[in-house]
Amino acid sequence: MQGDTLLIKSGGAAALPEWQHHFARLMPGLRVCGWDDPFVDARNVRYALVWQPDPGRLARYPRLRLILSAAAGVDHILADPKLPPNVPIVRMVTEETRERMSDFVTLSALAIVRDMPALVAAQRDGQWACDLTGRLARDTRVSVLGLGELGRAVAARLRANGFRVNGWTRTAKPAENVPVFSGEGQLDALLAQTDILVNLLPDTPATRGILGRRLFARLPAGASLIQVGRGAHLDRHALLDALDSGRLRWAVVDVFDIEPLPPDDALRRHPKVLVTPHIASTVSYAARARQVADVLGAHLRGAPLPFVYDAARGY
Ligand code: NAP
């Protein structure tokens, strides 16, 4: 442990002092260095905590033992074609990740059922829109695509707020407190009973582009979308067409294939879209440092690691 280096690329140079502050308390023997530190000895780098690492960089550390994702997804790491083989990649999942995502999706779902975007527009236009009374959560069917670490927490919170919740998984499993639909074969049946669709799938070859024309056509007319998974899931032209034709009513979109979303992107200006800048569940450095310390502790003890990316499954 003494002399082992944790290399960090998350939050830029401005965030390094805060990372170092947390790790000094949690793991005093660990050397914590920034990604662009010219004095790092490559042979001492055992751990890398990264968001969008430069392609080829991780392969330069011959004694790298763990790659820790600064986010729940690992797509930003897998994009590196020279990723060192056989180094486990650990996803960042904390209690704060679950809570923040549950807050964000519940806020979005309640805003949709209470017509909040239309109320904001009415206020801006000087109208007294007393007909915009919305509907009840308990009359609203929400389908959560992906009942993983985040989907399960989100489904539970939506249920606690009165929504009627169903979920979708890859593998058939016993009910997770909500009715579960599994696999391609049960997707259409789920979509047919959906007022609000929440996407919390991982980015894999099987899920890429799933939020497209085919899927939108299978939702009841007037359904809404909360897209908090990954940008690669969404066919943006299909979404714009579905909104313009009235098939979809509202969309909250937090993740994009290009981030930041270009200023002139049509989604930014669309009256039926709320664009948020990938903030649905941005976790504090303190919580992430605690999680990294727990993972490194398990690694040093030779205990099983939590939230390891499984290449065979793709997530
Ligand atoms: P996870 O724990 O890996 O769970 C993935 C879930 O998706 C599982 O239930 C899995 O099914 C299901 N799934 C995977 N492939 C599928 C397929 N082909 N068909 C049907 N279901 C499939 O993921 P997570 O940690 O909950 O993260 C979910 C998503 O949230 C990721 O895309 C992540 O990048 C994103 N995220 C976004 C933000 C943000 O701020 N916007 C923050 C954090 C995370 P099984 O149960 O059968 O395995």
Side-chain angles (χ1 to χ4, degrees):
M1 170 76 172
Q2 209 65 34
D4 285 359
T5 297
L6 168 66
L7 200 58
I8 300 189
K9 182 178 188 284
S10 172
L16 187 62
E18 185 173 350
W19 284 120
Q20 287 172 324
H21 164 77
H22 294 305
F23 284 113
R25 196 171 42 82
L26 293 162
M27 305 195 85
L30 187 67
R31 196 172 136 80
V32 177
C33 297
W35 191 245
D36 296 318
D37 184 336
F39 301 107
V40 169
D41 182 342
R43 290 163 306 177
N44 288 338
V45 174
R46 297 281 191 279
Y47 314 111
L49 169 61
V50 290
W51 169 252
Q52 295 180 339
D54 312 60
R57 264 292 287 279
L58 292 168
R60 283 198 219 159
Y61 306 110
R63 296 181 183 160
L64 187 64
R65 293 288 168 267
L66 287 180
I67 299 170
L68 300 129
S69 172
V74 295
D75 43 297
H76 61 104
I77 296 172
L78 301 179
D80 179 351
K82 293 191 177 148
L83 206 56
N86 309 323
V87 179
I89 303 175
V90 181
R91 307 191 307 115
M92 180 66 70
V93 181
T94 69
E95 199 42 43
E96 195 181 312
T97 323
R98 298 185 185 91
E99 278 186 47
R100 282 181 175 271
M101 186 57 87
S102 301
D103 287 351
F104 185 88
V105 173
T106 306
L107 166 77
S108 303
L110 286 169
I112 288 167
V113 293
R114 295 308 301 262
D115 279 330
M116 208 53 81
L119 286 165
V120 170
Q123 180 188 354
R124 197 185 47 227
D125 297 345
Q127 291 170 16
W128 186 251
C130 56
D131 56 326
L132 290 178
T133 53
R135 61 197 284 181
L136 287 170
R138 74 166 139 85
D139 294 333
T140 306
R141 302 162 300 175
V142 184
S143 298
V144 181
L145 302 183
L147 286 178
E149 297 299 332
L150 303 189
R152 286 197 300 274
V154 165
R157 181 79 78 76
L158 288 167
R159 258 176 63 99
N161 278 272
F163 288 99
R164 291 162 53 189
V165 184
N166 290 314
W168 190 55
T169 58
R170 186 177 60 87
T171 51
K173 28 177 64 82
E176 300 260 10
N177 241 345
V178 298
V180 181
F181 294 68
S182 297
E184 286 293 328
Q186 295 183 357
L187 180 58
D188 286 0
L190 175 71
L191 296 174
Q193 45 187 295
T194 299
D195 299 308
I196 299 177
L197 186 70
V198 177
N199 175 40
L200 274 165
L201 291 167
D203 175 7
T204 71
T207 64
R208 223 156 279 157
I210 187 167
L211 304 178
R213 290 180 203 286
R214 189 187 178 284
L215 179 143
F216 294 142
R218 277 157 181 78
L219 289 169
S224 295
L225 173 70
I226 301 174
Q227 152 63 334
V228 281
R230 277 289 179 259
H233 291 135
L234 178 65
D235 175 342
R236 293 187 300 131
H237 298 294
L239 175 62
L240 289 166
D241 288 350
L243 289 164
D244 290 340
S245 69
R247 166 144 292 276
L248 287 190
R249 192 152 157 270
W250 298 110
V252 177
V253 188
D254 183 60
V255 285
F256 305 89
D257 42 7
I258 300 170
E259 295 180 357
L261 189 63
D264 58 348
D265 192 282
L267 282 178
R268 282 201 193 246
R269 295 185 310 275
H270 200 286
K272 295 180 178 175
V273 180
L274 173 64
V275 164
T276 53
H278 201 150
I279 46 69
S281 183
T282 303
V283 178
S284 64
Y285 293 130
R288 284 189 274 177
R290 267 196 308 276
Q291 176 64 14
V292 171
D294 285 350
V295 171
L296 297 194
H299 171 72
L300 292 168
R301 289 193 307 277
L305 302 180
F307 313 124
V308 176
Y309 162 72
D310 179 342
R313 283 190 326 181
Y315 57 97

